[in-house]
Amino acid sequence: MLHITSLEDGLELFKALGSDIRIQIIKLLLANKGMNMNELATSLNITNGALTSHIKKLEECGIVTIMNESSGHGNEKRCSVHLDKILIEILDTKANSNIYETDIKVGQYSDYQIYPTCGLATNDALIGEVDNNRYFSHPDRMNANILWFTKGYVEYIIPNFIPTSQKIDQITISVELSSEAPGINSIWPSDIHFYLNNTCLGYWTSPGDFGEERGLFTPNWWFSNWNQYGMLKMISINNEGTFIDGLKISDVSLKDMNLDYRSQLKLKFAVPEDCEHVGGLTIFGSGFGNYNQDIKVSIQYSPMDELLAMPGNQ
């Protein structure tokens, strides 16, 4: 998912999509799950030179990626679309200065209960042995940039350093996720559930465990038949409910949680054993996948009622 936070930030994207031939390119790449430049030019009946300028515009906007692939005639450039959604914020959220932002590394969970297949890794190496859940308590797990398991959960404590006497109006989490299949399988659904302070916010069904091509940031030492990348999901909870990528998934809201600057915030990602699709979970952090980010959290806040802000009142 590409998240554009203001109309101004989306100008180049809008220009790139304002072309019939570039829309045709995107449709062809999606239908064929990627094509090389010669195949694209032939399908569109245009020259390679003309195609290059269109591909460059799509690449600059993050819609299309280009990778070199070996062939009998040397290296060819293969193009593919790696976005599943584009989310555009019409209201300018940057105008609100009352926002606290923080990043959480994938390995900095505070609690877990997971089952194999499972494992963790830093950008440089595996942590311990794969499919051995004992290593989820290894001291090196704090440096993990990717983790995966078949069922269970990992829970994180969100740092809450919003100013004193402020209440929480919205929490937004951005994270790259996929299922966890033995090896890889692009059709491997998994119902990934999200919890805040042990309240289930809802779930998202990941379509699969993606590995048909290497993630843009996945390190070279990583095994080609393992998880390569996920989908960037944005989970938001406010006083209206809970949303994923801007679409409401439940009526669970912040109204009854009374969260403020004193509140502990516990975020849980889980695949319960009794859900319909027990397809596991992979969490991608910086140095893995297609987005090169850790778990990003944004907390929007505003002044509390003066009586509630007094020490001893809750």
Side-chain angles (χ1 to χ4, degrees):
M1 183 190 74
L2 178 63
H3 182 205
I4 296 174
T5 56
S6 73
L7 292 175
E8 289 78 7
D9 290 344
L11 283 176
E12 293 305 314
L13 172 69
F14 305 148
K15 291 177 183 177
L17 293 177
S19 161
D20 290 342
I21 193 166
R22 288 196 280 274
I23 296 298
Q24 290 181 52
I25 290 171
I26 293 170
K27 288 182 175 180
L28 280 170
L29 292 177
L30 289 172
N32 294 281
K33 296 184 178 180
M35 301 173 71
N36 65 44
M37 295 286 281
N38 290 331
E39 293 169 337
L40 264 177
T42 300
S43 298
L44 295 165
N45 195 28
I46 61 175
T47 66
N48 280 52
L51 175 63
T52 298
S53 64
H54 290 298
I55 290 294
K56 183 178 180 182
K57 288 184 181 298
L58 293 172
E59 184 184 26
E60 289 173 348
C61 293
I63 298 173
V64 167
T65 59
I66 302 175
M67 298 182 69
N68 290 324
E69 64 174 9
S70 299
S71 69
H73 304 287
N75 289 329
E76 292 185 345
K77 291 183 177 180
R78 184 173 181 82
C79 307
S80 60
V81 178
H82 77 278
L83 292 176
D84 61 319
K85 290 183 179 68
I86 299 173
L87 178 64
I88 302 169
E89 299 278 356
I90 301 298
L91 295 176
D92 189 359
T93 57
K94 292 179 181 177
N96 188 341
S97 60
N98 294 338
I99 295 176
Y100 167 73
E101 296 180 324
T102 187
D103 290 355
I104 305 171
K105 284 187 66 68
V106 168
Q108 292 178 349
Y109 46 85
S110 56
D111 191 17
Y112 73 93
Q113 185 178 33
I114 58 94
Y115 296 87
T117 54
C118 61
L120 314 94
T122 67
N123 289 337
D124 301 313
L126 291 168
I127 297 174
E129 303 171 356
V130 296
D131 298 338
N132 188 335
N133 57 8
R134 293 186 305 150
Y135 286 96
F136 271 67
S137 61
H138 194 285
D140 289 347
R141 59 93 171 172
M142 298 293 287
N143 300 316
N145 297 91
I146 186 173
L147 65 78
W148 64 97
F149 56 87
T150 294
K151 62 181 180 179
Y153 68 85
V154 286
E155 185 174 70
Y156 300 85
I157 294 178
I158 299 174
N160 180 5
F161 296 118
I162 67 171
T164 301
S165 302
Q166 303 290 304
K167 60 183 175 66
I168 295 175
D169 298 320
Q170 178 166 292
I171 300 174
T172 301
I173 299 105
S174 172
V175 58
E176 186 175 354
L177 305 172
S178 79
S179 308
E180 159 50 25
I184 54 176
N185 191 334
S186 59
I187 304 176
W188 191 265
S190 186
D191 297 336
I192 300 171
H193 289 62
F194 311 101
Y195 295 78
L196 181 64
N197 290 354
N198 292 320
T199 296
C200 183
L201 305 176
Y203 70 92
W204 166 69
T205 301
S206 168
D209 180 355
F210 309 109
E212 71 278 4
E213 60 186 42
R214 183 168 290 276
L216 293 177
F217 300 99
T218 299
N220 292 330
W221 67 267
W222 189 251
F223 305 95
S224 60
N225 61 335
W226 284 13
N227 327 51
Q228 295 294 322
Y229 63 91
M231 292 182 172
L232 189 67
K233 310 309 294 182
M234 188 175 72
I235 306 105
S236 295
I237 176 171
N238 55 33
N239 289 325
E240 304 302 321
T242 300
F243 304 78
I244 293 184
D245 299 341
L247 300 177
K248 192 172 186 178
I249 62 166
S250 79
D251 291 324
V252 179
S253 72
L254 293 181
K255 286 181 180 177
D256 301 320
M257 293 191 182
N258 296 320
L259 300 178
D260 59 37
Y261 69 101
R262 299 163 293 195
S263 301
Q264 185 179 61
L265 305 174
K266 296 188 293 183
L267 170 67
K268 183 188 295 183
F269 300 95
V271 180
E273 62 181 359
D274 60 351
C275 64
E276 182 179 357
H277 302 107
V278 184
L281 168 63
T282 303
I283 304 179
F284 297 84
S286 57
F288 278 91
N290 280 347
Y291 294 93
N292 199 31
Q293 67 166 61
D294 296 313
I295 302 169
K296 301 181 75 68
V297 180
S298 174
I299 302 175
Q300 187 172 322
Y301 57 88
S302 63
M304 297 172 59
D305 178 87
E306 290 185 7
L307 181 61
L308 291 175
M310 293 176 63
N313 291 329
Q314 190 69 30

